[in-house]
Amino acid sequence: WAYDDPFITYRYAYNLSHGQGLVYNFGQRVLSTTTPLFAMLLAGLSPLWSDLPHLANLIGAFGLALGAVFLWDLSRTWEAPLLGWAGLLLYPSFSLLVSSLGSETPLYLALGLGAFAFYARKQYAWVGLFSALTVLTRPDGLLIPLLLAAHYLIRRRAGRSIPWTAVVVFLSLSAPWFLFAWSYYGSPLPVTLAAKQHQGAMYISQRFAPGLLSLVRIYASRWRYWLELALALVGLVFTAVRAQRWMLLLAWTGLYFAAYTLLGVSSYSWYYAPLVPGWIVLVGLGAQGLQTIFERLIRYDSARLPVAPASALAATLIIVLAVLQASGLANLRQQTDTRLAAYRAVGVWLNENTSPDASVG
């Protein structure tokens, strides 16, 4: 599986590993990759595996697994065990996440979820580390340390000190990159941001918010996601009534959606992958809410349901959804990018008919 956008980053990684600097074209200081940490990670590991697309997929698979583990860890800290099983089974098998393999997205989400997991544990130095790595993986990762810092300050009790270690760790890792990017490229913001904003304004394109509706229509054609929607709605009620602490992670989902809507970027499918953790949380909390309902039904009227552990009933539902999601990945694996032939033909033509120093728009 591969798609075109990450190949920009592969080019940066290739040039960096061959001593030409973190650039797309040798001698041109332009920041086009949105993920400097991912590019540097690929460059650093390329001596072990020079096939960068496959190496990126391997890192992405690791990121999917790590994100699932952090959701599990969060569920243990914030006392929602069924959500942990949803994280382990539904998160890494969700097609929107799997289709982002090859890009920085799985790693970006894993690092962000790690920041939340360590924040819940009150291990703030690790929060600083994972927050910095998230920001270096994607600039919009800055939403996470801002959100966690605001939450900490709002809930800080009188006399409780600020975890300066976390602040120092975060700035020590993130500040050098921004200073370097400013001096080397002229700005720490990738130029592709403006390109994606202009694409969103084109007649043949869609902006981020309307594009989400188009994506929802695709998923609405599969009945298993209606079942997940029902669980998510139960989870939303359960969050408001019994699990308010999970609103912090859901706030990240909301802020991300608001930020990308305000930026007005085009509706690339991988832009919606960071909404998946919030979705999985709601589905998992919905299962947790069903367990609570089952327990009350069994306790007060055992004739309505067979006498069985309430958690087993809710967990079975999660397992069924996981099997259905995983079976759907077979279709994803068979898909190919129809633009591949055109890209290759254009590349061959340019190589044969233009000078090496020609500019292409």
Side-chain angles (χ1 to χ4, degrees):
W1 169 262
Y3 62 102
D4 58 348
D5 210 59
F7 280 81
I8 299 172
T9 300
Y10 302 160
R11 170 94 171 204
Y12 275 81
Y14 179 87
N15 286 339
L16 180 61
S17 65
H18 285 75
Q20 297 184 6
L22 193 62
V23 294
Y24 188 86
N25 291 317
F26 179 67
Q28 297 180 13
R29 296 184 178 184
V30 179
L31 181 60
S32 295
T33 178
T34 57
T35 175
L37 180 64
F38 191 54
M40 289 185 277
L41 182 61
L42 288 171
L45 294 176
S46 60
L48 301 176
W49 196 354
S50 60
D51 187 337
L52 294 182
H54 280 92
L55 177 60
N57 279 6
L58 178 63
I59 295 172
F62 174 76
L64 290 179
L66 188 61
V69 170
F70 279 134
L71 277 174
W72 167 269
D73 188 74
L74 258 176
S75 74
R76 307 290 288 181
T77 306
W78 282 348
E79 300 175 345
L82 280 176
L83 193 157
W85 286 110
L88 286 177
L89 297 175
L90 298 180
Y91 178 84
S93 64
F94 202 91
S95 61
L96 188 59
L97 281 182
V98 176
S99 66
S100 71
L101 280 175
S103 73
E104 76 281 4
T105 301
L107 179 64
Y108 161 76
L109 293 177
L111 294 171
L113 290 170
F116 279 95
F118 285 113
Y119 182 80
R121 287 174 168 266
K122 298 183 171 63
Q123 297 176 344
Y124 297 119
W126 288 98
V127 175
L129 172 64
F130 275 79
S131 295
L133 295 177
T134 305
V135 172
L136 293 175
T137 306
R138 279 256 292 267
D140 53 77
L142 190 60
L143 292 172
I144 292 177
L146 291 176
L147 176 62
L148 295 180
H151 183 267
Y152 182 89
L153 292 175
I154 291 172
R155 297 177 63 87
R156 183 166 70 106
R157 298 173 183 174
R160 189 180 180 188
S161 62
I162 293 176
W164 291 110
T165 304
V167 177
V168 171
V169 170
F170 175 79
L171 293 177
S172 297
L173 290 174
S174 59
W177 161 253
F178 287 104
L179 292 174
F180 166 78
W182 213 300
S183 62
Y184 191 78
Y185 302 109
S187 171
L189 297 177
V191 296
T192 45
L193 173 60
K196 299 298 171 57
Q197 289 174 318
H198 282 85
Q199 286 179 352
M202 292 171 64
Y203 179 76
I204 61 171
S205 182
Q206 278 185 311
R207 292 195 185 274
F208 181 78
L212 179 60
L213 296 177
S214 299
L215 186 67
V216 166
R217 292 190 191 100
I218 295 174
Y219 279 84
S221 63
R222 304 173 183 123
W223 66 267
R224 61 180 177 270
Y225 293 110
W226 284 99
L227 183 56
E228 290 191 15
L229 175 62
L231 278 176
L233 293 175
V234 174
L236 194 61
V237 176
F238 186 76
T239 303
V241 176
R242 297 279 298 273
Q244 291 90 345
R245 61 182 65 180
W246 287 95
M247 289 182 179
L248 179 61
L249 193 145
L250 294 175
W252 172 36
T253 305
L255 285 174
Y256 176 89
F257 177 81
Y260 269 63
T261 299
L262 290 174
L263 287 173
V265 295
S266 50
S267 57
Y268 287 100
S269 61
W270 55 90
Y271 284 172
Y272 301 104
L275 302 176
V276 173
W279 176 261
I280 298 299
V281 164
L282 288 176
V283 171
L285 290 177
Q288 199 73 49
L290 283 183
Q291 177 184 337
T292 303
I293 295 172
F294 290 159
E295 287 173 345
R296 292 184 177 180
L297 287 173
I298 293 171
R299 184 181 302 120
Y300 295 115
D301 191 352
S302 59
R304 293 188 185 181
L305 287 172
V307 179
S311 59
L313 295 174
T316 300
L317 186 57
I318 292 176
I319 293 172
V320 170
L321 287 172
V323 171
L324 292 172
Q325 279 193 178
S327 64
L329 294 181
N331 295 328
L332 179 66
R333 187 173 184 269
Q334 295 170 2
Q335 293 179 14
T336 57
D337 194 327
T338 56
R339 299 168 296 181
L340 179 60
Y343 286 163
R344 186 180 297 278
V346 170
V348 170
W349 188 93
L350 289 171
N351 186 54
E352 294 176 348
N353 295 279
T354 62
S355 60
D357 60 346
S359 297
V360 179

